[in-house]
Amino acid sequence: MKALAEMIAASDRGEIPPLIMGILNITPDSFSDGGEFIEADEACRQAHKLVLEGADIIDCGGESTRPGYTAISVEEEWYRLSSVIAPLAVQGICLSVDTMKAEVARRALRAGAVMVNDVWGLQYDPAMAAVVADFGANVVVMHNRQDIDPHLDLKADFKRFFDYSLEKAQLAGVSTKQIVLDPGVGFGKTPEQNLKAINLISWLRSYYQLPILLGVSRKSFFGHFLGRQKGERLAATIAANLYGVKEGASIIRVHDAQPHEDMVLLNYMLGNLS
């Protein structure tokens, strides 16, 4: 867990290229790849493929959080994750668990995960911050909203949301060295607000002095602006991630690791020419 925190900090300082978080959805209903990796063997093969293609972290999700998702129990979510996390952790793969449930996070961290990716920023489950603190885990605190408000002042809402999340983290004893913020592209926002969320990365990083994760891979707002179906959004995803990296994102969360590995490495090399 400490090693990952040090890698994120090094990326945030510009000492190494941004980290790549590979998406592993062990779900039947995720918006892009639902059902593709529901079996443990398939999921483990995909994790190894992502690592070979350049992923530094594998983000394992057992419950879809797409719009209109069907909620499942702790036991069902853990059933999907349990046969994947321990075997991958034993093999030395750096694992994140994508969950908003404290008990799922606890079991995943005990099984070898080193990061919790909470799409409700420690605000859904009152016990989540304490679990993160107990394990000394890294945590992604993502901005989210129940409802979409076209008239929302996004910067003000970021302050409201993240101030509350960070207060909960502090009260539970979560070290700021373990925290990464995520502007929550695709969650409770209009297409225009999704673009604004990406545009605010530099401000968000500067205001909170914390690393930023950007997750835009294949998301529907690309379809809104460009008319591209989910299988046609790689170029737009890379473009948005490159912009995010230039604005200060330290981690990009993607389905397609290899082209993003090429992007971050070449961008880093160009930026360090004397």
Side-chain angles (χ1 to χ4, degrees):
M1 296 182 189
K2 182 179 179 182
L4 178 56
E6 291 172 349
M7 287 176 61
I8 294 169
S11 175
D12 191 49
R13 292 191 298 265
E15 297 170 1
I16 62 173
L19 305 181
I20 294 174
M21 174 184 277
I23 299 168
L24 183 62
N25 289 319
I26 312 163
T27 61
D29 56 346
S30 291
F31 81 94
S32 179
D33 55 0
E36 291 185 25
F37 311 114
I38 193 69
E39 299 297 330
D41 289 347
E42 294 171 347
C44 288
R45 280 194 294 271
Q46 176 65 5
H48 283 285
K49 178 177 182 288
L50 288 166
V51 170
L52 286 171
E53 291 179 348
D56 302 286
I57 310 161
I58 301 299
D59 192 36
C60 304
E63 179 180 45
S64 173
T65 52
R66 64 176 174 78
Y69 76 96
T70 301
I72 59 174
S73 68
V74 166
E75 295 305 324
E76 175 64 20
E77 187 174 348
W78 180 241
Y79 174 78
R80 296 175 182 177
L81 293 166
S82 59
S83 58
V84 174
I85 288 180
L88 293 176
V90 166
Q91 295 169 47
I93 293 177
C94 181
L95 298 177
S96 166
V97 59
D98 180 0
T99 187
M100 53 190 175
K101 300 185 182 77
E103 181 57 29
V104 173
R106 179 182 290 109
R107 296 182 191 184
L109 292 168
R110 191 179 294 136
V114 297
M115 172 178 269
V116 177
N117 182 11
D118 185 351
V119 299
W120 273 104
L122 306 177
Q123 297 185 29
Y124 175 84
D125 190 326
M128 182 65 90
V131 169
V132 170
D134 287 347
F135 282 88
N138 303 278
V139 60
V140 178
V141 174
M142 197 193 83
H143 176 269
N144 208 334
R145 289 179 55 81
Q146 289 282 3
D147 302 305
I148 295 175
D149 177 3
H151 306 292
L152 182 73
D153 180 334
L154 192 58
K155 186 182 287 189
D157 205 64
F158 276 165
K159 289 181 181 178
R160 175 198 64 80
F161 186 94
F162 286 126
D163 285 355
Y164 183 50
S165 291
L166 293 173
E167 180 183 12
K168 289 176 72 69
Q170 182 180 28
L171 290 172
V174 178
S175 169
T176 56
K177 294 180 180 179
Q178 311 298 119
I179 298 173
V180 176
L181 301 184
D182 179 345
V185 175
F187 289 81
K189 299 172 181 67
T190 66
E192 292 76 14
Q193 288 166 351
N194 286 320
L195 289 182
K196 184 65 175 177
I198 301 169
N199 181 253
L200 285 174
I201 285 174
S202 179
W203 170 83
L204 193 59
R205 178 175 176 268
S206 176
Y207 186 82
Y208 285 105
Q209 294 293 297
L210 290 170
I212 305 299
L213 179 148
L214 178 60
V216 298
S217 189
R218 304 179 184 174
K219 289 194 172 176
S220 61
F221 76 100
F222 293 127
H224 174 85
F225 289 113
L226 304 174
R228 302 297 184 191
Q229 299 303 309
K230 63 185 180 181
E232 304 171 329
R233 297 171 184 168
L234 178 57
T237 298
I238 292 173
N241 277 321
L242 178 57
Y243 180 89
V245 164
K246 288 182 173 295
E247 290 296 296
S250 301
I251 308 172
I252 53 174
R253 183 179 182 272
V254 301
H255 296 87
D256 306 285
Q258 181 269 316
H260 284 92
E261 172 76 347
D262 290 351
M263 180 271 282
V264 297
L265 286 177
L266 189 59
N267 180 67
Y268 184 76
M269 287 187 286
L270 288 167
N272 284 277
L273 289 175
S274 57

